[in-house]
């Protein structure tokens, strides 16, 4: 048996009116969207942080600084592809990813199959190895007021 490592990722972005909302590589129709330096895909950012953490490669901000114009407006699927390259350079493969998105609206369950396809392609893994879940914050706090969106992710990586 090879080396197995687990990582945890978290990300949060504020929601802004009339701003695009990209989640899991999917453009969602909604009156507001996540705001940030890249496409502000909170789900992919949490996944990237989980993978980087598991491989002891620091965090997403270290690799893709929000002060670097190369990453301004970039698809977070590209960031995930870069992270996978970093993992491969250290001899790791992804075992699985489990993620949770917390937001009041829009409902993302209808979009989860498309998100899994995008993530699987970017990470070079099977859709069967990706779990995406969603919950609300029961109208409590900044999430409940639809001022922000949060994502959590855990992953397992392995090296032979």
């Amino acid at each position: 048996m090879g080396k197995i490592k687990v990582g945890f990722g978290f990300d949060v972005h504020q929601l802004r009116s009339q701003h695009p909302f990209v989640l899991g590589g999917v453009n969602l129709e909604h009156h507001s969207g996540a705001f940030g330096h890249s496409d502000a895909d909170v789900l992919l950012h949490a996944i990237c942080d989980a993978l980087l953490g598991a491989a002891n490669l620091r965090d997403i901000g270290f690799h893709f600084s929000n002060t670097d114009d190369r990453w301004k407006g970039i698809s977070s699927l590209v960031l995930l592809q870069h992270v996978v390259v970093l993992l491969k350079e250290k001899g790791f493969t992804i075992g699985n990813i489990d993620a949770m998105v917390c937001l009041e609206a829009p409902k993302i369950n209808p979009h989860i199959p498309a998100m899994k396809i995008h993530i699987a392609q970017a990470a070079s893994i099977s859709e069967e190895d990706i779990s995406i879940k969603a919950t609300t914050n029961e109208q409590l706090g900044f999430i409940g007021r639809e001022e922000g969106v949060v994502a959590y992710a855990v992953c397992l990586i392995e090296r032979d």
Side-chain angles (χ1 to χ4, degrees):
M1 177 184 227
K3 180 81 169 175
I4 306 172
K5 297 181 111 185
V6 175
F8 170 75
F10 165 84
D11 197 36
V12 60
H13 281 278
Q14 68 176 267
L15 295 175
R16 288 199 180 167
S17 182
Q18 304 304 312
H19 196 75
F21 199 164
V22 181
L23 194 63
V26 175
N27 292 306
L28 303 178
E29 291 293 325
H30 195 57
H31 61 80
S32 61
F35 179 79
H37 186 70
S38 65
D39 63 1
D41 189 326
V42 68
L43 174 58
L44 291 180
H45 293 181
I47 290 170
C48 286
D49 261 345
L51 293 167
L52 289 166
N56 196 21
L57 289 169
R58 302 202 47 180
D59 61 38
I60 193 170
F62 178 79
H63 293 278
F64 312 107
S65 171
N66 64 4
T67 60
D68 188 337
D69 284 341
R70 288 181 299 166
W71 313 120
K72 185 160 181 63
I74 197 164
S75 167
S76 294
L77 290 167
V78 174
L79 303 183
L80 178 57
Q81 289 169 336
H82 280 283
V83 168
V84 171
V85 168
L86 293 171
L87 291 178
K88 286 182 182 177
E89 288 173 355
K90 286 193 80 172
F92 286 106
T93 57
I94 300 170
N96 76 302
I97 296 167
D98 184 19
M100 170 72 74
V101 179
C102 188
L103 75 166
E104 294 298 317
K107 298 298 183 195
I108 69 163
N109 280 325
H111 305 285
I112 288 175
M115 292 177 190
K116 289 175 67 170
I117 289 169
H118 289 298
I119 294 167
Q121 289 172 347
S124 300
I125 61 175
S126 168
E127 294 169 46
E128 292 297 313
D129 294 325
I130 302 165
S131 171
I132 301 170
K133 303 171 302 295
T135 189
T136 68
N137 217 42
E138 299 296 331
Q139 300 178 332
L140 297 172
F142 73 90
I143 295 168
R145 292 187 302 271
E146 296 187 42
E147 296 170 359
V149 56
V150 168
Y152 304 91
V154 293
C155 69
L156 181 135
I157 61 173
E158 36 197 338
R159 179 170 50 200
D160 289 330

